[in-house]
Amino acid sequence: EGGQARKDNSSPNTGGTGGVKEKAAAEPPSPAEALEREVTDAETGLLYDTIITGGRVINPETKLDQEGLNVGIKDGKIGIVTSRPLQGTHEIDAKGLVVSPGFIDNLSYDPNPLGVWQKIGDGVTANIAMHVGTLTPKQWYSYYERNETPVHFGASFFYTQARNQFKLGRYDAAKPEQVQEIRKQAEQALNDGALGISFSL
């Protein structure tokens, strides 16, 4: 009150009554700090199949966004992400580049031999044909598996194509028995691996 002197010896910056709490107590560790706490000497001492060094590593799931990290890959899986040095049989220098999980194109057409390579160049690793899709998921998946498509893939049940089998125009109402048949086909498609139902509105 009115210029009264402090009666305790605590500084506003050191805690105590009326002080600011210490940072360690007030704030959880950053994603990068949490990551480093999990790294062991045994992990950093391994010889990885491939190491990706010096990149800006982004992981939306953990909110990690840190430059200068190294990624160790073993047996086709990410084994470690750390700022500590790693050794690998094969090294990819990622300085000045972003290292992130592959992107999912969730509103695409069927994979095609040219388009999938363009997608890979943009970081897309999953091509989901939800823009059109298929009436027969079993055959659809089998076709792209045989072609060894270089991305993950999936498709929806294509409602408009299901209507076309009855030669229904854009504004034609389906008859009750046609609706019943489309519902039956859609349920079968979902059980056979379709990821959803797409509509061309």
Side-chain angles (χ1 to χ4, degrees), residues 40-53 71-80 82 84-92:
T40 67
D41 291 339
E43 290 173 320
T44 56
L46 287 175
L47 178 66
Y48 290 91
D49 301 328
T50 300
I51 56 174
I52 305 172
T53 60
V71 179
I73 301 170
K74 194 167 186 64
D75 299 327
K77 296 181 180 180
I78 295 173
I80 188 172
T82 180
R84 292 163 67 175
L86 298 175
Q87 294 191 7
T89 304
H90 177 61
E91 180 176 351
I92 299 171

Side-chain angles (χ1 to χ4, degrees), residues 28-201:
S30 71
E33 291 169 338
L35 189 74
E36 292 298 343
R37 290 180 184 180
E38 298 173 3
V39 173
T40 67
D41 291 339
E43 290 173 320
T44 56
L46 287 175
L47 178 66
Y48 290 91
D49 301 328
T50 300
I51 56 174
I52 305 172
T53 60
R56 176 184 172 187
V57 177
I58 297 177
N59 184 352
E61 183 180 4
T62 63
K63 297 183 170 50
L64 174 67
D65 184 350
Q66 181 76 28
E67 293 186 3
L69 294 183
N70 305 312
V71 179
I73 301 170
K74 194 167 186 64
D75 299 327
K77 296 181 180 180
I78 295 173
I80 188 172
V81 180
T82 180
S83 62
R84 292 163 67 175
L86 298 175
Q87 294 191 7
T89 304
H90 177 61
E91 180 176 351
I92 299 171
D93 183 356
K95 292 182 181 68
L97 302 174
V98 170
V99 182
S100 77
F103 301 115
I104 301 171
D105 187 346
N106 203 36
L107 189 61
S108 186
Y109 295 96
D110 294 356
N112 67 74
L114 176 61
V116 291
W117 292 105
Q118 299 296 325
K119 288 177 185 289
I120 290 171
D122 287 335
V124 172
T125 57
N127 182 99
I128 310 300
M130 295 288 282
H131 194 63
V132 181
T134 179
L135 294 187
T136 55
K138 279 188 176 179
Q139 290 90 332
W140 190 92
Y141 283 104
S142 177
Y143 173 80
Y144 288 106
E145 287 167 1
R146 288 195 311 272
N147 280 271
E148 299 182 347
T149 302
V151 291
H152 300 293
F153 50 83
S156 62
F157 173 78
F158 189 21
Y159 166 80
T160 304
Q161 189 177 354
R163 283 174 50 86
N164 289 343
Q165 68 187 311
F166 301 116
K167 295 182 169 45
L168 294 169
R170 183 174 295 178
Y171 302 109
D172 293 337
K175 296 176 181 177
E177 60 269 23
Q178 294 170 334
V179 172
Q180 185 66 24
E181 179 60 24
I182 291 173
R183 288 182 61 180
K184 179 182 174 183
Q185 292 175 3
E187 184 172 358
Q188 184 62 53
L190 292 169
N191 287 330
D192 288 343
L195 302 178
I197 299 174
S198 59
F199 298 84
S200 290
L201 303 178

